[in-house]
């Protein structure tokens, strides 16, 4: 579950949200808009709460920098109690492999962005690379190659990108696929699940609902069917 609080970075609101939904989810994901305003001790409190419920905690920071900078960022986030981090494969195969090795050394995981769910994702992840012999390769396919080679722990592909999901799931080499983009961004749980999604990242569709628990249980029922 994405803890996408729209009313500001409220520690108590985050705690209430996780506590009320914990029995229906397997992990929480914190984005920059929650990580940056909160203190180290507050993030430790949130991650400690998640761990007390047996949940994993993902830092959705879309890491994309030189290896030495990535190394420092991962080390700090691991000390705050995060279990996994999102990384942009734009850093290249060597950079991605280095982040995976460091994360695994800290008993953490790496989720590689392959194709995101937001409007305009095609301008980046769907852009074409012009290679030798007049060959054209979409960038997301190159990112997929980097992810498989680096043995990442998961790949992020939008639930509203069903054609990409189908293609990647055939080549994923048993790497689980995590999909944001349900509800607000137009993704359909049934179609995404059929197309290859293993885990759904859902935030606003649940948190902004008048009855979050009911919205979440209905989603689970849909997936179970």
């Amino acid at each position: 579950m994405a803890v996408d609080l729209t009313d500001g970075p409220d520690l108590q609101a985050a705690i209430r949200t996780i506590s009320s939904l914990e029995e229906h989810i397997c992990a929480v994901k914190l984005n920059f808009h929650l990580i940056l305003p909160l203190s180290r001790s507050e993030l430790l409190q949130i991650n400690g709460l998640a761990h007390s419920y047996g949940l994993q905690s993902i830092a959705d920071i879309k890491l994309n920098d030189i290896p030495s900078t990535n190394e420092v960022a991962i080390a700090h986030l691991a000390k705050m109690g995060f279990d996994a981090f999102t990384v942009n494969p734009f850093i290249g195969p060597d950079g991605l492999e280095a982040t995976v090795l460091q994360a695994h050394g800290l008993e953490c995981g790496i989720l590689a962005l392959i194709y995101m769910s937001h409007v305009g994702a095609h301008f980046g992840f769907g852009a074409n690379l012009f290679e030798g012999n007049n060959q054209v390769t979409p960038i997301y396919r190159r990112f997929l190659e980097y992810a498989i080679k680096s043995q990442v722990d998961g790949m992020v592909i939008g639930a509203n990108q069903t054609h990409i999901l189908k293609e990647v799931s055939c080549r994923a080499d048993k790497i689980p696929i995590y999909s944001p983009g349900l509800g607000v961004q137009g993704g359909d749980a049934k179609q995404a699940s059929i197309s290859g999604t293993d885990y759904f990242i859902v935030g606003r569709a649940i948190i902004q609902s008048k009855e979050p628990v009911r919205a979440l249980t209905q989603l689970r029922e849909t997936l179970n069917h």
Side-chain angles (χ1 to χ4, degrees):
M1 180 187 67
V3 189
D4 294 336
L5 301 175
T6 57
D7 295 328
D10 186 328
L11 172 63
Q12 294 306 316
I15 289 174
R16 288 193 302 271
T17 299
I18 295 171
S19 296
S20 64
L21 301 174
E22 54 88 11
E23 65 180 288
H24 305 286
I25 61 178
C26 61
V28 295
K29 180 181 74 70
L30 278 59
N31 207 329
F32 274 120
H33 69 283
L34 188 59
I35 293 175
L36 291 177
L38 297 182
S39 68
R40 175 191 178 97
S41 62
E42 289 172 324
L43 290 169
L44 278 168
Q45 187 174 346
I46 291 175
N47 289 332
L49 176 68
H51 293 158
S52 73
Y53 292 130
L55 306 176
Q56 297 284 291
S57 180
I58 302 168
D60 186 13
I61 58 171
K62 301 174 178 65
L63 205 59
N64 181 21
D65 214 314
I66 61 174
S68 59
T69 300
N70 295 340
E71 182 178 349
V72 172
I74 288 175
H76 280 291
L77 289 164
K79 290 178 181 178
M80 295 177 193
F82 287 101
D83 303 292
F85 323 98
T86 56
V87 175
N88 193 329
F90 193 78
I91 58 180
D94 294 339
L96 183 58
E97 186 173 2
T99 62
V100 170
L101 289 173
Q102 181 195 2
H104 287 180
L106 296 170
E107 298 185 347
C108 296
I110 294 294
L111 308 182
L113 307 178
I114 304 300
Y115 207 114
M116 292 175 66
S117 58
H118 65 282
V119 175
H122 63 283
F123 287 112
F125 296 91
N128 288 323
L129 294 171
F130 292 89
E131 302 177 311
N133 300 320
N134 295 319
Q135 291 185 339
V136 176
T137 302
I139 289 177
Y140 76 86
R141 290 182 182 163
R142 191 65 72 232
F143 287 175
L144 174 60
E145 292 175 8
Y146 300 165
I148 293 173
K149 180 182 177 182
S150 301
Q151 298 182 323
V152 299
D153 304 284
M155 298 186 291
V156 178
I157 302 171
N160 52 1
Q161 310 290 349
T162 52
H163 62 297
I164 306 296
L165 281 168
K166 291 177 182 178
E167 177 185 345
V168 171
S169 64
C170 293
R171 302 175 54 197
D173 196 28
K174 298 182 179 180
I175 299 173
I177 295 175
Y178 295 71
S179 291
L182 287 183
V184 177
Q185 293 181 316
D188 178 81
K190 180 179 179 180
Q191 291 303 315
S193 181
I194 292 172
S195 300
T197 296
D198 296 293
Y199 297 94
F200 286 98
I201 303 172
V202 189
R204 287 173 290 175
I206 294 172
I207 294 174
Q208 294 181 2
S209 170
K210 292 182 180 180
E211 298 182 73
V213 174
R214 183 178 180 182
L216 187 47
T217 53
Q218 287 178 338
L219 173 59
R220 290 189 63 181
E221 289 173 0
T222 298
L223 295 176
N224 287 338
H225 284 125

